[in-house]
Amino acid sequence: MKFTCMKWSALPVLVLLAGTVALAGSQQPDEAESGTAATPAAAPTPAATPKPTVARRKENQQDRIAQGVKSGQLTAGESSKLETKEAALNAETKADRAANGGKLTAAEKKQINGQQNQLSKQIGKDKHNASTQHYANNKVDQRRENQQDRIAQGIKSGQMTAGEAAKAEKQQKGINRQVAADRKANGGTLTASEKKQVNHEQNAASKNIYHKKHNLKTQPKPN
């Protein structure tokens, strides 16, 4: 009789436990539908790196040329040729945009990108060949280095367009050739009159650089 009472007194506890388990089981579908159930989070898709715009590509090329001029990796002759090509490409881009209401077609963008790829390879080749701009510790060479630094700054800042930089470097190329020829004819030195002549030519070049850096022509920066 005592055993029977204990059995019936335990029955409500068993019923309560069974109800709790049933309730917990009935909540699982609701949790799944409401999104509260613990499910593995989906891995975020990495964002694709956007291709540089035409304007940004031009900016990058100019920066590379400026660095090469500044470091002496690009001679005046090499940078003059590179900037001449960049100027032609800029003129082509401008003409294409004028013909299309200020925009470039997909085909034109593809063509310009191909041309920039070729120019990029040429910049890399010129910067890593055996031709470098050497400056000795004398007034003539220090003057030439100073002019190159000013041109490099003008290219980097956009104060000088590619066409202006090409002309400034072509002028320096002419002076460099003259100095090399004079030194070769005089056993590696310059006479007093030759130094005076070179200084006069550099004065003219200096004025041209200043004018090109402070006129209304600039290399537009990408937005």
Side-chain angles (χ1 to χ4, degrees):
M1 184 68 179
K2 186 177 181 180
F3 173 77
T4 305
C5 291
M6 289 180 63
K7 181 177 70 172
W8 287 109
S9 63
L11 184 61
V13 176
L14 293 176
V15 172
L16 180 61
L17 290 174
T20 303
V21 172
L23 180 61
S26 64
Q27 287 177 344
Q28 290 178 356
D30 292 337
E31 289 174 350
E33 291 174 6
S34 63
T36 58
T39 56
T45 303
T49 303
K51 292 183 178 180
T53 63
V54 171
R56 175 59 65 184
R57 191 83 192 274
K58 288 195 300 179
E59 171 84 357
N60 292 343
Q61 303 285 51
Q62 288 296 88
D63 287 348
R64 291 175 64 203
I65 293 173
Q67 187 276 331
V69 173
K70 176 75 175 177
S71 66
Q73 289 175 291
L74 291 174
T75 66
E78 288 172 337
S79 54
S80 177
K81 291 178 181 178
L82 291 171
E83 289 290 42
T84 297
K85 291 181 180 180
E86 187 69 53
L89 188 52
N90 291 348
E92 178 186 338
T93 303
K94 185 177 180 181
D96 288 341
R97 281 192 168 129
N100 297 311
K103 296 182 179 180
L104 295 172
T105 65
E108 288 167 344
K109 289 180 180 179
K110 184 177 180 180
Q111 181 178 352
I112 291 171
N113 189 59
Q115 291 171 307
Q116 285 287 17
N117 286 342
Q118 293 178 356
L119 182 59
S120 179
K121 290 179 182 179
Q122 189 63 51
I123 294 172
K125 181 179 178 180
D126 289 346
K127 289 178 71 174
H128 296 90
N129 61 15
S131 300
T132 55
Q133 198 81 42
H134 294 291
Y135 304 104
N137 190 23
N138 58 66
K139 289 184 178 180
V140 170
D141 282 347
Q142 289 301 309
R143 185 83 189 274
R144 291 195 299 164
E145 183 176 10
N146 182 57
Q147 301 286 52
Q148 289 297 94
D149 288 348
R150 293 174 63 204
I151 293 171
Q153 190 277 330
I155 296 171
K156 178 74 174 178
S157 66
Q159 289 175 289
M160 297 179 75
T161 66
E164 290 175 331
K167 291 178 181 178
E169 287 289 56
K170 186 176 181 180
Q171 192 172 17
Q172 287 300 308
K173 177 184 175 182
I175 296 174
N176 292 348
R177 282 184 173 179
Q178 178 185 332
V179 171
D182 289 343
R183 280 179 171 155
K184 185 177 181 180
N186 298 312
T189 61
L190 296 173
T191 66
S193 61
E194 288 168 345
K195 290 179 181 179
K196 183 177 180 180
Q197 176 65 23
V198 171
N199 191 58
H200 176 73
E201 292 174 2
Q202 286 288 22
N203 286 342
S206 181
K207 290 179 181 179
N208 284 338
I209 293 171
Y210 181 87
H211 174 71
K212 288 175 172 59
K213 290 177 68 175
H214 295 88
N215 60 14
L216 296 178
K217 296 180 181 179
T218 57
Q219 190 83 14
K221 296 284 185 178
N223 296 326

